[in-house]
């Protein structure tokens, strides 16, 4: 050992509990010859308030350079004694804690063996603490603004929760309208509440409420780049032109009525809308948008149909351009949602009156393609409705999981269809059923449908006869199916997939954004300062969306507090640029993406803001270029040598 | 002799050749969040833990580099344990998986250095598994004692 450094050792008796097994006098004798020439103080209960004052005075008097504390578990009182060192004017990281209560006194019957073990562990601690470096917590100012991606229920709830707390929020939505999927649904399971009635007040608050001053809503917008880290993100957003001046347009929709051009209505999954239109009645913001690929004038042809009728001059803005915004935010909440799996299996594809759950929701909606009437393509009402659940779920050839929402949706469809078409026969074809929750139990017990079990989705075939259409289950059972609804698996939305790649986040086995922890951190990600709300986390219902929107906002609020800097734990990994060989092994290993490549210096760099101090990179660096502060190679070797001496 | 023919099991005589006599010296590297917490719980439950066992706490089992284990043997450890969070439970997501991979490597490597692979043990101990911590540390120390005899 090089020059010994004066070390003070505090030996706690824990009110006699430790000293019952460990003879502190004997330990002092055994350690007397240690090169650091330690000075000892036995304290009856070192964590006691008065005792800590006394210990601080002793440390001030002794002026040691290092301190070893032998007491209970560091998981209980390490922080207490770090503070003691600070109070005594000593760098708090110049301390090593020895757990002689839980891991010696309480587990060693023989006092002689316990005393010898305590001396051995203290010897190791004395060795280790000589190698400790002074560390200090770094403070970084953080921005308290938050960017929310996606304006479904989860994103809106997160935005409003933050805005109500006075936070500035940028809400980024790629659609021309807000509200996500359920604003397009007429009634919501499990209690058949009116979707727009539930969501319109939320959207109203967002657009016009007291908090709306704190919300910057960007519709028709997508995030194209994210840079920075927790507390200081820079987000680039591209906004497509709406070709409507939102400050002038009064939302009368006369333009849509007179527009001569039509495009497919992708929001309904069927039918057409005008080139200038809203996707469906009652959208918010109450503004149409123009589809540049359909509008004759934007294609360079002669047309002034809308211009001629628009009552507010300047509302239609054919010179509108794509805009780019740079958003500075401390945190990002992803609420980019999920969608139904888009493809249809061959047996159901290209047939009339085959709906997915989404297009059926639109068919049921008053502002949908048929004004809420349940009609087939030929304009007549179906005599039978077959709702195929688990259509591709629980199936190793498609998705292996249960989406968890379809049963409740399907029971709702059965209920609503029975109300709309007198005498309709409704069947639900299921592989398994799940109606979780107290209120969903009512749906289950008041179901209007005949439940038919089937084995595999691939066994189902559609057969047409003179008297109508049937679904045949392998084995011969047939189910009347004038109209078919397929409850396809819920998969990550395109927006969720984009967020995953933009932020290089971890994905779960189904392609959703992996949470920090499946149970205790389901609204956080491994990337600090990026939170999750709604079904980008996995299939969920509206209740989940609102709850997790609130939760994600809560995490952002508690992590980013105005006037409170981000305090960074100094026990992080540090790369020695003079040793780093540039192999990038560490970059791939870091579970928190805290290590990046410096292309100028050709070395790896650790962001102390993102590093959580696990030390995986330290152990993996082939050059030994990475030091784990607080757990350096030298410290661990010194400790090892101590326990083996 | 090819590497395949090196014995993976050794006699007491050969295995103790590089071990100095005296009390058994067993080192256990424990991760802070699961196995160290499990060891603390063994203490709270007053379950026996061998006095020969010396625990070195690290934040994550992924912090332990194989050279440190080899160094423990060089410095005279009779046995070395690395105890980690169960798969899927790692506080740092996957450090325990790194530790597991390195343990596989070490199991194959140590016989090449004349060390009985039984003298190295990798296992999982959760924060709740006080009993398991007590049991496996006692088993391991007993085994090391029998190897020494």
């Amino acid at each position: 050992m090089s020059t010994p450094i004066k070390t003070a050792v505090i030996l706690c008796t824990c009110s006699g509990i430790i000293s019952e097994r460990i003879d502190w006098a004997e330990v002092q004798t055994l350690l007397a010859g240690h090169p650091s020439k330690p000075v000892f103080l036995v304290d009856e209960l070192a964590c006691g308030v008065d005792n800590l004052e006394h210990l601080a005075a002793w440390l001030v008097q002794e002026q040691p350079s290092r301190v070893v504390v032998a007491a209970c578990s560091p998981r209980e009182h390490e922080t207490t004694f770090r503070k003691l060192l600070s109070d005594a004017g000593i760098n708090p990281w110049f301390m090593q804690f020895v757990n002689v209560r839980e891991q010696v006194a309480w587990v060693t019957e023989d006092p002689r063996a316990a005393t010898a073990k305590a001396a051995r562990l203290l010897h190791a601690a004395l060795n280790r603490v000589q190698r400790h470096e002074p560390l200090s917590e770094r403070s970084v100012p953080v921005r308290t603004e938050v960017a929310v991606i996606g304006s479904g229920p989860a994103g809106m709830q997160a935005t409003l929760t933050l805005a109500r707390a006075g936070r500035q929020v940028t809400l980024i939505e790629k659609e021309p309208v807000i509200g996500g999927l359920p604003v397009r649904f007429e009634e919501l399971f499990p209690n058949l509440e009116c979707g727009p009635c539930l969501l319109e007040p939320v959207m109203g608050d967002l657009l016009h409420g007291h908090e709306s001053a704190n919300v910057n809503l960007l519709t028709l917008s997508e995030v194209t780049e994210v840079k920075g880290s927790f507390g200081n993100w820079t987000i680039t957003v591209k906004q497509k032109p709406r070709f409507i001046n939102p400050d002038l347009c009064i939302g009368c929709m006369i333009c849509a009525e007179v527009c001569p051009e039509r495009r497919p209505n992708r929001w309904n999954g069927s039918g057409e809308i005008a080139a200038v239109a809203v996707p469906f009645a009652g959208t918010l913001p109450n503004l149409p948008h123009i589809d540049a690929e359909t509008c004759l004038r934007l294609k360079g042809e002669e047309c002034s149909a809308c211009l001629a009728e628009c009552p507010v001059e300047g509302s239609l803005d054919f010179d509108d351009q794509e805009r780019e915004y740079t958003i500075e935010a401390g945190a990002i909440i992803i609420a980019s949602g999920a969608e139904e799996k888009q493809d249809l299996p061959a047996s159901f594809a290209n047939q009339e009156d085959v709906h997915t759950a989404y297009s059926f929701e639109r068919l049921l909606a008053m502002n949908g393609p048929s004004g809420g009437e349940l009609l087939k393509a030929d304009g007549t009402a179906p005599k039978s409705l077959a709702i195929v659940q688990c259509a591709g779920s629980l199936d190793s050839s498609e998705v292996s999981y249960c989406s968890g929402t379809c049963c409740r949706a399907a029971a709702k469809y059965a209920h609503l269809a029975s109300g709309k078409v007198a005498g309709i026969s409704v069947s639900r074809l299921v592989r398994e059923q799940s109606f979780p929750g107290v209120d969903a139990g009512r749906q289950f017990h008041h179901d209007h449908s005949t439940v038919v079990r089937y084995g595999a989705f691939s066994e189902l075939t559609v057969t047409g006869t003179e008297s109508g259409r049937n679904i045949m289950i392998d084995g011969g059972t047939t189910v009347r199916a004038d109209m078919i609804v397929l409850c396809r698996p819920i998969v990550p939305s395109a927006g969720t997939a984009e967020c995953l790649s933009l932020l290089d986040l971890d994905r779960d086995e189904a392609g959703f954004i992996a949470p920090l922890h499946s149970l205790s951190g389901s609204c956080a990600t491994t990337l600090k300062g990026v939170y999750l709300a709604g079904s980008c986390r996995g299939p969920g219902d509206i209740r989940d969306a609102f709850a997790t929107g609130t939760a994600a906002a809560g995490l952002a609020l508690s992590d980013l507090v105005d006037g409170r800097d981000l305090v960074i734990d100094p026990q992080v990994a540090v790369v020695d640029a003079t040793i780093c060989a540039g192999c990038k092994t560490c970059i791939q290993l870091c579970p928190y993406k805290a290590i990046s490549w410096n292309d100028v210096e050709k070395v790896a760099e650790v962001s102390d803001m993102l590093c959580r101090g696990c030390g995986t990179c330290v152990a993996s660096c082939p050059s030994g270029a990475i030091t784990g502060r607080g757990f350096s190679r030298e410290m661990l070797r010194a400790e090892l040598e101590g326990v083996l001496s | 002799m090819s590497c395949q023919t090196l014995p993976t099991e050794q006699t007491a005589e050969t295995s103790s050749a590089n071990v100095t006599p005296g009390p058994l010296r067993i080192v256990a590297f424990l991760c802070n969040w699961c196995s160290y917490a499990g060891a603390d719980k063994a203490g709270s439950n007053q379950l026996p833990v061998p006095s020969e066992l010396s625990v070195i706490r690290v934040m994550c089992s992924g912090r332990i580099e194989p050279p440190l284990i080899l160094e423990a043997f060089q410095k005279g450890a009779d046995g070395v344990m690395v105890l980690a969070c169960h798969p899927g439970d790692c506080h740092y997501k996957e450090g325990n998986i790194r530790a597991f991979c390195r343990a596989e490597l070490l199991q194959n490597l140590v016989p090449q250095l004349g060390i009985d692979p039984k003298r190295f043990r990798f296992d999982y101990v959760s924060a709740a598994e006080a009993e398991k911590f007590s049991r496996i540390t006692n088993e391991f120390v007993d085994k090391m004692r029998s190897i020494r005899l």
Side-chain angles (χ1 to χ4, degrees), chain A residues 405-627:
Chain A
T405 54
C406 325
C407 288
R408 287 171 287 166
K412 175 185 84 174
Y413 302 152
H415 181 92
L416 295 177
S418 303
K420 284 178 191 286
V421 180
I424 191 169
S425 104
V426 183
S427 309
R428 290 196 295 113
L429 284 74
V430 303
R431 293 186 67 191
E432 301 293 344
Q433 290 202 83
S434 165
F435 284 82
V438 175
D439 37 18
R442 285 195 294 274
Q443 284 192 283
F444 181 70
H445 291 296
H446 295 91
D447 187 19
H448 293 254
S449 43
T450 307
V451 175
V452 183
R453 288 214 175 243
Y454 70 93
F457 189 40
S458 57
E459 288 173 4
L460 303 184
T461 49
V462 181
T463 55
T465 63
E466 288 290 309
S467 58
R469 189 167 61 175
N470 292 314
I471 294 177
M472 186 181 283
I473 302 170
D474 191 29
T477 310
T478 56
V479 177
R480 297 290 304 279
D482 274 3
M483 185 175 272
I484 296 171
V485 180
L486 298 176
C487 297
R488 296 286 286 150
I490 305 300
V491 296
S493 69
T496 293
E498 282 158 28
C499 288
L500 272 162
S501 70
L502 272 172
L503 281 154
D504 194 21
L505 295 167
D506 293 331
R507 61 193 70 210
D508 70 11
E509 60 193 275
F512 292 95
I513 305 177
L516 179 63
H517 190 279
S518 61
L519 300 177
S520 64
S522 78
C523 291
T525 67
T526 50
L527 192 55
K528 212 169 165 187
V530 177
Y531 309 102
L532 304 176
S535 52
C536 64
R537 306 153 57 252
D541 58 20
I542 298 165
R543 183 167 10 210
D544 285 339
F546 274 96
T548 55
T550 313
L555 291 171
L557 285 173
S558 62
D559 282 353
L560 304 166
V561 176
D562 201 19
R564 191 186 75 190
D565 286 356
L566 172 66
V567 178
I568 298 169
D569 188 327
Q571 292 195 107
V572 293
V574 184
V575 179
D576 184 338
T578 63
I579 303 175
C580 176
C583 68
K584 302 184 186 174
T585 305
C586 54
I587 295 175
Q588 284 149 38
L589 282 179
C590 177
Y592 303 105
K593 306 192 188 340
I595 312 180
S596 56
W597 177 244
N598 179 333
D599 203 35
V600 179
E601 305 288 331
K602 307 288 178 200
V603 290
E605 284 176 347
V606 179
S607 159
D608 58 358
M609 279 201 274
L610 300 178
C611 176
R612 302 202 187 197
C614 66
T616 298
C617 60
V618 180
S620 308
C621 177
S623 312
I626 310 180
T627 298

Side-chain angles (χ1 to χ4, degrees), chain A residues 11 18-31 70 98-100 103-105 108-126 642-645, chain B residues 22-26 49-55:
Chain A
L11 304 170
I18 292 173
S19 49
E20 193 177 278
R21 296 278 168 79
I22 298 169
D23 179 348
W24 281 137
E26 175 68 11
V27 168
Q28 290 179 52
T29 309
L30 291 168
L31 294 172
V98 185
N99 182 350
V100 290
Q103 298 200 8
V104 183
T108 317
E109 191 75 37
D110 174 13
R112 278 176 310 162
T115 301
K117 181 169 183 176
R120 193 169 73 237
L121 296 179
L122 272 154
H123 181 94
L126 284 166
V643 296
L644 292 172
S645 62
Chain B
L24 275 176
R25 290 181 294 181
I26 315 291
V49 175
S51 66
E52 296 91 337
L53 186 87
S54 302
V55 165

Side-chain angles (χ1 to χ4, degrees), chain B:
Chain B
M1 182 169 64
S2 78
C3 58
Q4 279 83 4
T5 61
L6 263 178
T8 53
E9 302 242 345
Q10 298 182 334
T11 63
E13 217 172 295
T14 58
S15 70
S16 60
N18 61 344
V19 177
T20 46
L24 275 176
R25 290 181 294 181
I26 315 291
V27 181
F29 293 96
L30 269 54
C31 78
N32 183 61
W33 305 97
C34 287
S35 48
Y36 194 88
D40 274 357
K41 196 160 278 176
S44 308
N45 295 349
Q46 314 253 334
L47 300 170
V49 175
S51 66
E52 296 91 337
L53 186 87
S54 302
V55 165
I56 295 180
R57 180 175 73 110
V58 286
M59 295 312 283
C60 178
S61 56
R63 169 65 190 85
I64 306 302
E65 63 262 29
L68 199 62
I69 309 288
L70 300 179
E71 198 169 318
F73 285 118
Q74 279 170 2
K75 286 181 173 153
D78 292 84
V80 181
M81 305 180 89
V82 172
L83 303 180
C85 304
H86 283 270
D89 290 349
C90 178
H91 186 80
Y92 303 105
K93 300 208 66 95
E94 53 195 24
N96 57 345
I97 305 302
R98 306 291 160 216
F100 166 78
C101 296
R102 293 178 196 141
E104 291 277 286
L105 175 77
L106 281 162
Q107 288 292 355
N108 289 307
L109 176 65
V110 293
Q112 311 291 327
L113 307 174
I115 298 164
D116 186 336
K118 286 203 286 290
R119 289 171 58 198
F120 172 70
R121 176 157 179 183
F122 174 81
D123 210 333
Y124 305 105
V125 174
S126 79
E129 289 175 328
E131 188 281 326
K132 181 178 180 186
F133 178 76
S134 170
R135 176 170 50 79
I136 66 170
T137 51
N138 277 293
E139 276 170 12
F140 188 70
V141 171
D142 286 346
K143 192 176 276 174
M144 294 309 105
R145 198 171 284 123
S146 71
I147 287 176
R148 267 264 209 117
L149 287 174

